[in-house]
Amino acid sequence: MVRAVVGANWGDEGKGKITDMLGKESDIIVRFQGGANAGHTIINDYGKFALHTLPSGVFYDHTTSVIGSGVALNIPVLFQEIKGIVDRGVPRPKILVSDRAQMVMSYHILFDKLEEERLAGKSFGSTKSGIAPFYSDKYAKIGFQVSELFLEEKALKEKIEQVIVQKNVILQHLYHAPALQVEEIYQELMEYKTMVKPYVCDVSSYLWNAIKEGKHILLEGQLGTLKDPDHGIYPMVTSSSTLAAYGAIGAGIPPYEIRQIITVCKAYSSAVGAGAFVSEIFGEEADELRRRGGDGGEYGATTGRPRRMGWFDCVASKYGCRLQGATDVAFTVLDVLGYLDEIPVCVGYEIDGQVTTEFPVTALLEKAKPVYETLPGWKCDIRGIRKYEDLPENCRNYVEFIEKQIGFPITMVSNGPGRNDIIFREKDVETK
Ligand code: GDP
């Protein structure tokens, strides 16, 4: 049985918490895309952790954590993360790394930084983790696969030599930076080889057998639908697909094996980086939500950057859930809204005088103005509540209003950052 946990929006929806929670019933947790550019914040019995590369299931000793071939693998970051959790008392996790995963090289990070500097005010707001240069190289067929670490020295050096020819032209002539040297890159790869060797595995074959044995597998997505390069707010997107469908590719399993797609939506909106954000709010209203948001405020897990804040966006979330193929919606961070007298919800976009509930392409999105409906708040703390019926009526109305607007069943409501802060709901007949 394979399930996926993915985001409906711009990322930071609370996927890490949901994955950590569902990890209890999983045997294997797989990262299938993205790299160390975004992070999950997880709070459990061991403490509070920010993970970037490790799957959020590493805290259980019964799970195996898998880095699939779709991931941008930063080996030093992976090892720092393993050390970071082991040093804090977490049992050493069982980790497998796909022999087909490609590696983020130090020059990918360098190119990312240089390009952001060149673009200056017109930059994409990259986290400078090398992700865009990495995926560009992967699809230009000049990336390095983990399996290539085991090539003969001569063959590997020949490949490096070929790859750096065009890199050096750009480095020297566009960025006026020093050229890359074959020997340096070779040594970097040999360091990676030493670190990664014990974990390398034919992941798709391992997962195929695990599926046949009836194991429970969880695919963990990074970011959300709106950052998908095909279906998101291009070009303000990430460089690998954030959709559950890509889980089959990035893990190497048959698509029909993914039986449950848990799509995470946060009870309000937040986004990082540039790009249209229709229900964005500003000033004191935004500062207060940012301060109270998530666990300890809405600041990037990787960069510490303050996140842009907004009200819940039904147009974006309906689209986000549809593209994910949501079978279930996990509605998170609802507890944070308990301070508000009234809560605006974006139910439509006005574009050139017409109101639509369909999420448009980027050029139209930039013209969209939010159409709000305002719901009454519940004015109390809902943390600790375990049954849906025990939530205040206005709080249930908020959940049910949004469920109706997005048209996908909210089967989990998260009312606190901890593993046990979760309320399960039956699927409503209309959204089943
Ligand atoms: P992810 O990348 O989708 O995993 O999201 P992040 O980790 O960046 O952001 C989610 C933040 O919200 C984290 O700090 C979580 O600890 C926190 N969080 C998750 N669910 C809840 C919840 O229901 N209530 C509160 N207050 N915080 C939550």
Side-chain angles (χ1 to χ4, degrees):
M1 154 76 163
V2 184
R3 306 197 272 190
V5 175
V6 287
N9 302 109
W10 299 264
D12 307 320
E13 299 94 346
K15 297 175 294 294
K17 179 241 159 98
I18 301 294
T19 307
D20 178 59
M21 182 193 94
L22 296 174
K24 197 172 171 193
E25 318 149 10
S26 306
D27 301 301
I28 301 166
I29 303 180
V30 189
R31 280 282 314 267
F32 61 88
Q33 45 88 220
N37 50 330
H40 297 300
T41 310
I42 294 155
I43 298 170
N44 54 32
D45 302 342
Y46 295 105
K48 181 170 176 174
F49 298 87
L51 297 183
H52 308 285
T53 289
L54 283 173
S56 303
V58 286
F59 299 99
Y60 293 101
D61 49 15
H62 68 276
T63 57
T64 299
S65 299
V66 174
I67 307 287
S69 64
V71 170
L73 174 63
N74 183 322
I75 293 182
V77 169
L78 176 71
F79 282 82
Q80 274 159 26
E81 271 182 25
I82 297 173
K83 186 172 179 307
I85 63 168
V86 171
D87 286 353
R88 288 176 61 192
V90 178
R92 182 166 285 280
K94 292 188 275 303
I95 294 174
L96 299 175
V97 173
S98 167
D99 51 5
R100 292 176 184 275
Q102 295 199 14
M103 294 166 285
V104 176
M105 302 294 296
S106 55
Y107 57 75
H108 290 134
I109 298 167
L110 175 70
F111 272 86
D112 207 350
K113 284 188 187 136
L114 292 170
E115 183 61 7
E116 284 280 302
E117 278 163 28
R118 189 182 73 85
L119 292 171
K122 293 190 173 145
S123 80
F124 290 92
S126 161
T127 58
K128 304 186 188 76
S129 318
I131 303 303
F134 165 88
Y135 281 107
S136 306
D137 278 5
K138 176 171 175 174
Y139 293 107
K141 296 168 282 188
I142 52 169
F144 287 95
Q145 243 187 20
V146 166
S147 65
E148 289 175 289
L149 294 172
F150 303 92
L151 287 174
E152 294 288 329
E153 179 174 343
K154 187 166 171 287
L156 187 52
K157 283 192 169 164
E158 267 170 26
K159 171 158 177 183
I160 298 170
E161 220 166 297
Q162 271 178 20
V163 168
I164 67 173
V165 172
Q166 54 151 288
K167 303 246 159 265
N168 282 341
V169 172
I170 301 173
L171 272 176
Q172 293 180 295
H173 297 283
L174 182 64
Y175 300 125
H176 309 292
L180 302 172
Q181 306 296 330
V182 175
E183 194 54 37
E184 258 172 26
I185 311 273
Y186 181 74
Q187 287 312 325
E188 180 179 338
L189 287 168
M190 289 305 100
E191 277 171 37
Y192 295 168
K193 181 179 176 178
T194 313
M195 288 191 253
V196 83
K197 200 172 171 184
Y199 306 100
V200 179
C201 165
D202 177 347
V203 159
S204 69
S205 166
Y206 169 82
L207 293 176
W208 173 257
N209 290 324
I211 291 169
K212 280 200 289 193
E213 287 163 18
K215 294 268 199 283
H216 288 265
I217 300 171
L218 196 62
L219 304 177
E220 180 183 20
Q222 184 209 40
L223 296 167
T225 305
L226 305 179
K227 294 282 185 181
D228 183 77
D230 283 88
H231 298 283
I233 52 170
Y234 190 86
M236 301 301 177
V237 293
T238 192
S239 305
S240 65
S241 175
T242 55
L243 302 183
Y246 189 76
I249 299 165
I253 58 166
Y256 56 77
E257 293 293 350
I258 306 174
R259 301 290 159 78
Q260 197 183 11
I261 300 174
I262 299 156
T263 305
V264 186
C265 287
K266 192 152 64 177
Y268 53 88
S269 301
S270 72
V272 286
F277 179 8
V278 178
S279 65
E280 184 166 12
I281 53 174
F282 303 91
E284 181 45 38
E285 193 179 37
D287 289 345
E288 176 146 39
L289 185 55
R290 184 180 302 111
R291 232 180 2 254
R292 292 173 175 268
D295 179 68
E298 289 283 358
Y299 300 92
T302 306
T303 57
R305 287 190 287 196
R307 292 176 180 153
R308 298 164 68 194
M309 305 303 298
W311 300 124
F312 189 84
D313 183 336
C314 297
V315 179
S317 304
K318 179 175 80 163
Y319 175 80
C321 288
R322 172 161 69 79
L323 266 296
Q324 291 292 5
T327 59
D328 295 74
V329 174
F331 196 58
T332 58
V333 208
L334 186 59
D335 50 305
V336 160
L337 300 182
Y339 73 99
L340 291 157
D341 294 323
E342 292 187 318
I343 314 175
V345 177
C346 175
V347 294
Y349 290 174
E350 192 193 312
I351 304 171
D352 295 333
Q354 302 271 6
V355 175
T356 180
T357 58
E358 296 300 320
F359 192 77
V361 294
T362 309
L364 294 176
L365 186 68
E366 274 156 12
K367 298 201 231 168
K369 295 192 181 60
V371 177
Y372 286 117
E373 253 187 62
T374 300
L375 274 66
W378 46 92
K379 298 292 288 176
C380 67
D381 186 3
I382 59 162
R383 279 203 195 180
I385 294 177
R386 293 288 172 265
K387 282 201 211 126
Y388 186 68
E389 314 80 82
D390 294 343
L391 287 173
E393 189 182 358
N394 283 350
C395 182
R396 278 182 280 128
N397 287 343
Y398 184 77
V399 174
E400 287 158 35
F401 177 84
I402 284 171
E403 180 176 62
K404 203 160 183 182
Q405 293 284 324
I406 63 177
F408 291 90
I410 296 177
T411 59
M412 290 168 225
V413 174
S414 171
N415 59 339
R419 252 180 207 174
N420 302 320
D421 297 322
I422 194 83
I423 299 169
F424 291 98
R425 270 181 91 221
E426 289 297 313
K427 281 187 191 180
D428 189 69
V429 215
E430 278 181 41
T431 50
K432 221 181 248 183

